[in-house]
């Protein structure tokens, strides 16, 4: 599995899907650049999403709001106080990690030992020294190759909330054991139980919109006003607050604060939705699996506003519609699933949430959350800004098409309410990674090493068609150029491959990047204007007039696109 994933990452780098950002300067951890094919794949995912959820409906409009978000917006939304992960440091390895994702202690109960795993013998020796001198002086520890074995006298498991756990180690003087608390997790790489207490860590990137360097102002103010250490923190925050802005952690808040503007300018009333696509930023503690978890990522978000009595209907509706979209572009539908959140997983704003997950090579991972946000966000902004987000509905009836049994209608008309929001929030980078994993096939041919084929859905494929004049002779070029021009005018990325490579090799190079169709111009083309068109997944070929190529592709791109 890991080998296949490495082969896919290698393909992505070699063929221009994905590059390490600023690689010539050693790269930036967690930052990636999308190459010419990566950018097309991403755009095609976005295009299919936007097409289905905005252009094909009359109840959803688009929006593009600012990434820089002022403090009051994110204070009101709860992000300043509650958008946190817990963070723990390992006193031994200095690794910083999220305790909720960390493994439980590996305890060799029959030998009463805890193994600590170092990367090499020299580090093991160094860590043993650190444990004995600084982390747990007097502890009994033995060195065994790359492992340090800690001798345990008594081990108590914590309760389900992580409380009451304890490890008592044998001490060198055999008198008093050396005791530490155990909360149910250890540092993931080494199994070290020597950890700091957990503390909340806000995930938002903060910056300052201020022509004067705020640090200068801080130095001046804090030296004048701050007496104790707490006052320094408060004084610093006071100075910074007027110019503090955040890189948005989700695109959704930009939609909520514009709710009234959109309803007024577009003459919309619930139920209706606002779609937004763009970058979001989170100072993630643990960056993982390439583009799966990065500090900078793109979201496709849809906020659907509805009367409170219809929210259950729309929650169900959007969960189904979104899952169908994922499956419509998948090769292996069984590698996609929906999973309901348990109550302790739910974000601070949600009353219900269903994730869409993909079975990545390392296990199931979230690609989208469909959440019932209730009227939490709009109510928060009403409280904090005096915005008027209330809707007055004269005739209290269910929206046409919705069953009365599904709604708990209010008894009085007109009804006044703050709309409830059903949100679909999908990570574009994760979608790209999921579809790449899903499409990646290695096909074997007799006696030859396997070759890679990306069986991407044609709508997602970066290059729609490669046009190949047979020998690269100039007489084939006019027809090749005509075919390419007719396809390019449809907005399809089309390549002309006129290099002197065998046609089979040229096909394989395009199979590797997922090009669904290759068109070959040959000697017969010069006589009757026909060309061959080859299907990526079957290798089947058909002859047709070159002018029919565009229609042929167009028909297949529309197949099964029927939502
Ligand atoms: N507005 C709701 C919201 O932002 P979320 O579950 O925190 O909800 C939605 O994020 C989606 O954004 C996730 O399902 C995931 O696909 C993507 N996402 C979140 N954090 C990410 C990160 N650090 N890197 C890449 N994608 C991320």
């Amino acid at each position: 599995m890991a080998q296949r994933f490495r082969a896919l990452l290698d393909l992505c780098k070699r063929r221009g899907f994905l590059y390490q950002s600023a690689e010539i300067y050693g790269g930036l951890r967690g930052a990636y650049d999308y190459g010419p094919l990566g950018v097309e794949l991403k755009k095609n995912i976005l295009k299919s999403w936007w097409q289905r959820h905005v252009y094909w409906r009359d109840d959803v409009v688009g929006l593009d709001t600012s990434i820089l978000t002022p403090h009051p917006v994110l204070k009101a939304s709860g992000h300043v106080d509650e958008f946190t992960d817990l963070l723990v440091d390992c006193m031994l390895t200095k690794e910083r990690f999220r305790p909720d994702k960390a493994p439980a202690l590996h305890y060799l109960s029959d030998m009463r030992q805890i193994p600590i795993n170092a990367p090499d013998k020299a580090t093991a020796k160094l860590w043993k020294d650190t444990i004995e001198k600084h982390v747990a002086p007097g502890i009994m520890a033995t060195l065994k190759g790359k492992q340090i074995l800690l001798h345990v006298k008594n081990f108590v498991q914590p309760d389900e909330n992580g409380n009451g756990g304890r490890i008592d180690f044998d001490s060198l003087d055999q008198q008093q054991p050396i005791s530490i608390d155990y909360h149910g997790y250890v540092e993931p790489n080494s199994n070290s139980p020597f950890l700091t207490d957990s503390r909340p860590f806000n995930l938002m990137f903060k910056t300052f919109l201020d022509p004067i360097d705020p640090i200068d102002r801080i130095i001046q103010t804090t030296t004048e006003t701050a007496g104790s250490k707490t006052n320094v923190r408060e004084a610093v925050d006071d100075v910074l607050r007027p110019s503090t802005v955040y890189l948005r952690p989700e695109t959704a808040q930009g939609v909520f604060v514009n709710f009234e503007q959109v309803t007024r300018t577009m003459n919309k009333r619930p139920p209706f939705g606002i779609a937004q696509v763009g970058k979001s930023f989170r100072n993630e503690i643990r960056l993982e699996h390439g583009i799966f978890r990065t500090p900078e990522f793109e979201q496709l978000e849809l906020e659907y506003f509805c009367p409170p009595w219809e929210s259950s209907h729309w929650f169900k509706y959007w969960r189904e519609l979104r899952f169908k979209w994922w499956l419509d572009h998948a090769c292996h539908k069984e590698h996609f699933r929906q999973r309901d959140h348990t109550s302790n997983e739910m974000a601070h704003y949600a009353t219900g949430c269903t994730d869409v997950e993909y079975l990545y090579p390392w296990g199931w991972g979230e690609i989208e959350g469909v959440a019932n946000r209730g009227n939490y966000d709009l109510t928060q902004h009403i409280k904090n800004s005096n915005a008027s987000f209330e809707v007055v509905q004269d005739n209290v009836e269910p929206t046409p098409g919705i069953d009365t049994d599904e709604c708990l209608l209010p008894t009085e008309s007109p009804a006044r309410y703050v709309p409830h929001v059903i949100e679909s929030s999908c990570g574009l980078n994760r979608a790209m990674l999921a579809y790449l994993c899903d499409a990646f096939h290695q096909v074997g041919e007799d006696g030859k090493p396997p070759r890679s084929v990306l069986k991407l859905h044609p709508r997602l494929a970066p290059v729609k068609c490669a046009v190949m004049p047979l020998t690269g002779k100039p007489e084939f070029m006019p027809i090749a150029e005509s075919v390419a021009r007719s396809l390019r005018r449809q907005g399809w990325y089309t390549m002309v491959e006129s290099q002197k490579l065998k046609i089979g090799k040229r096909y394989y190079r395009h199979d590797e990047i997922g090009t669904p169709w290759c068109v070959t111009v040959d000697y017969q083309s010069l006589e009757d204007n026909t060309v061959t068109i080859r299907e990526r997944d079957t290798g089947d070929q058909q002859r047709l007039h070159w002018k029919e190529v565009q229609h042929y592709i167009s028909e297949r791109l529309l197949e099964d696109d029927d939502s």
Side-chain angles (χ1 to χ4, degrees):
M1 221 27 152
Q3 200 183 357
R4 266 191 85 231
F5 188 55
R6 267 199 302 277
L8 171 63
L9 291 183
D10 172 65
L11 186 159
C12 287
K13 191 170 178 198
R14 197 164 34 79
R15 298 302 307 271
F17 282 87
L18 205 58
Y19 309 128
Q20 178 76 52
S21 193
E23 194 172 14
I24 59 168
Y25 290 101
L28 175 64
R29 207 167 72 89
Y32 292 89
D33 296 337
Y34 292 80
L37 297 188
V39 88
E40 293 300 324
L41 174 54
K42 226 156 33 103
K43 271 191 183 173
N44 290 340
I45 296 173
L46 158 62
K47 191 171 159 194
S48 164
W49 186 91
W50 193 270
Q51 196 146 303
R52 279 209 196 171
H53 303 322
V54 182
Y55 293 156
W56 287 9
R57 313 177 56 104
D58 62 7
D59 60 347
V60 178
V61 293
L63 193 68
D64 184 5
T65 66
S66 167
I67 287 174
L68 292 178
T69 310
H71 181 85
V73 172
L74 294 163
K75 178 76 181 164
S77 69
H79 285 85
V80 170
D81 299 317
E82 295 185 54
F83 194 56
T84 52
D85 276 342
L86 283 179
L87 179 74
V88 169
D89 287 304
C90 175
M91 293 188 264
L92 187 61
T93 66
K94 308 294 175 215
E95 270 296 311
R96 186 161 281 184
F97 64 94
R98 276 176 63 173
D100 57 331
K101 303 270 179 202
L105 180 78
H106 177 46
Y107 174 45
L108 308 170
S109 51
D110 44 346
M111 297 189 306
R112 304 180 81 88
Q113 286 176 341
I114 292 172
I116 307 271
N117 308 309
D120 50 57
K121 283 186 184 173
T123 313
K125 197 163 175 304
L126 209 71
W127 282 0
K128 180 169 175 285
D129 250 28
T130 310
I131 297 171
E132 288 171 346
K133 289 196 182 128
H134 307 292
V135 177
I139 197 172
M140 196 185 280
T142 320
L143 204 59
K144 189 178 164 204
K146 292 194 286 185
Q147 271 188 341
I148 304 147
L149 298 170
L150 307 174
H151 302 262
V152 175
K153 198 177 198 73
N154 191 29
F155 174 46
V156 183
Q157 286 282 6
D159 62 21
E160 68 272 18
N161 299 317
N163 299 321
R166 207 181 71 243
I167 310 171
D168 301 327
F169 295 104
D170 282 332
S171 61
L172 286 171
D173 61 11
Q174 299 290 336
Q175 305 279 312
Q176 249 335 64
I178 316 270
S179 298
I180 61 167
D181 289 339
Y182 171 60
H183 297 291
Y185 50 81
V186 288
E187 193 274 301
N189 300 319
S190 65
N191 194 44
S192 159
F194 302 117
L195 311 172
T196 62
D197 288 341
S198 63
R199 59 196 184 282
F201 162 85
N202 195 294
L203 293 176
M204 286 194 294
F205 283 105
K206 198 189 267 189
T207 186
F208 306 101
L209 205 57
D210 191 342
I212 298 162
D213 184 348
I215 302 290
D216 289 342
R217 219 176 276 152
I218 288 168
I219 292 168
Q220 195 190 351
T221 320
T222 48
T223 42
E224 281 165 14
T225 60
S228 70
K229 206 174 172 198
T230 0
N231 284 345
V232 173
R233 181 74 242 183
E234 280 166 20
V236 169
D237 285 345
D238 283 349
V239 175
L240 292 179
R241 192 159 301 114
S243 61
T244 298
V245 290
Y246 299 92
L247 304 187
R248 65 182 176 200
E250 57 171 5
T251 72
Q253 293 306 322
V255 171
F256 298 135
V257 299
N258 278 291
F259 172 74
E260 195 273 327
Q261 314 244 47
V262 175
T263 49
R264 187 163 34 83
T265 53
M266 301 303 288
N267 199 20
K268 289 281 175 203
R269 300 184 70 71
F272 82 99
I274 302 180
Q276 169 152 238
V277 170
K279 291 214 169 175
S280 294
F281 300 81
R282 295 181 191 175
N283 198 356
E284 298 279 4
I285 298 162
R286 186 168 274 272
L287 304 168
E288 49 184 2
H289 309 306
I291 56 171
F292 181 78
R293 191 182 304 283
T294 50
E296 175 179 344
F297 56 97
E298 279 163 276
Q299 290 185 309
L300 312 173
E301 295 204 298
L302 182 102
E303 311 301 325
Y304 198 80
F305 301 91
C306 63
W309 54 89
E310 290 184 3
S311 69
S312 306
H313 165 84
W314 291 112
F315 187 33
K316 185 164 170 274
Y317 171 90
W318 282 106
R319 273 185 304 189
E320 283 169 13
L321 198 77
R322 289 298 305 136
F323 194 51
K324 181 176 182 317
W325 179 86
W326 284 103
L327 297 187
D328 281 351
H329 298 96
C331 280
H332 304 281
K333 297 191 193 318
E334 68 283 7
H335 290 170
F336 292 78
R337 73 174 185 192
Q338 287 177 297
R339 190 181 66 81
D340 291 338
H341 272 209
T342 55
S343 56
N344 58 358
E345 272 182 285
M346 218 97 75
H348 63 272
Y349 49 72
T351 55
C353 186
T354 302
D355 281 348
V356 181
E357 297 185 334
Y358 174 70
L359 186 57
Y360 287 102
W362 57 89
W364 290 100
E366 176 192 337
I367 43 184
E368 168 168 347
V370 181
N372 185 344
R373 294 180 79 128
N375 61 8
Y376 174 83
D377 300 274
L378 292 186
T379 306
Q380 284 300 107
H381 291 304
I382 291 170
K383 278 192 211 151
N384 288 279
S385 71
N386 296 323
S388 97
F389 289 158
E390 211 174 56
V391 171
V392 181
Q393 187 168 330
D394 293 332
N395 298 321
V396 181
E397 284 171 356
T399 303
I402 298 184
D403 202 340
T404 332
D405 297 345
E406 281 187 83
C407 321
L408 207 68
L409 290 172
T411 46
E412 284 176 23
S413 278
R416 302 179 83 87
Y417 64 86
V418 175
H420 281 219
V421 174
I422 306 303
E423 172 185 77
S424 143
S425 176
C426 159
L428 180 53
N429 319 75
R430 284 192 192 178
M432 170 169 158
L433 187 60
Y435 280 130
L436 279 170
C437 291
D438 180 57
F440 185 63
H441 289 74
Q442 288 178 304
V443 297
E445 270 149 56
D446 295 342
K448 291 183 189 160
R451 64 184 184 90
S452 306
V453 181
L454 273 188
K455 295 189 180 178
L456 285 167
H457 190 289
R459 279 198 294 278
L460 304 188
V463 180
K464 292 285 176 279
C465 184
V467 185
M468 305 177 176
L470 191 60
T471 59
K473 282 193 178 163
E475 55 263 46
F476 296 124
M477 285 311 282
I479 293 184
E481 295 288 4
S482 299
V483 177
R485 197 175 318 115
S486 72
L487 305 186
R488 286 170 178 161
R489 290 204 175 147
Q490 298 302 308
W492 301 329
Y493 186 18
T494 304
M495 285 178 154
V496 176
E497 298 289 10
S498 55
Q499 66 274 61
K500 284 186 189 139
L501 261 185
K502 277 193 180 151
I503 204 81
K505 279 222 162 121
R506 281 185 264 171
Y507 286 157
Y508 286 2
R509 279 184 59 74
H510 273 275
D511 287 348
E512 196 180 36
I513 58 169
T515 308
W517 297 287
C518 291
V519 164
T520 308
V521 182
D522 56 18
Y523 287 100
Q524 193 178 328
S525 314
L526 301 180
E527 287 165 21
D528 62 7
N529 281 316
T530 63
V531 291
T532 60
I533 187 157
R534 171 188 177 268
E535 296 279 337
R536 175 195 65 202
D537 298 340
T538 58
D540 291 349
Q541 299 195 15
Q542 268 192 51
R543 261 211 111 79
L544 69 181
H545 194 282
W546 74 259
K547 286 187 177 165
E548 290 168 346
V549 172
Q550 180 213 314
H551 181 69
Y552 179 98
I553 292 180
S554 170
E555 290 278 288
R556 278 150 191 83
L557 286 175
L558 287 176
E559 263 169 27
D560 76 19
D561 205 5
D562 57 357
S563 307

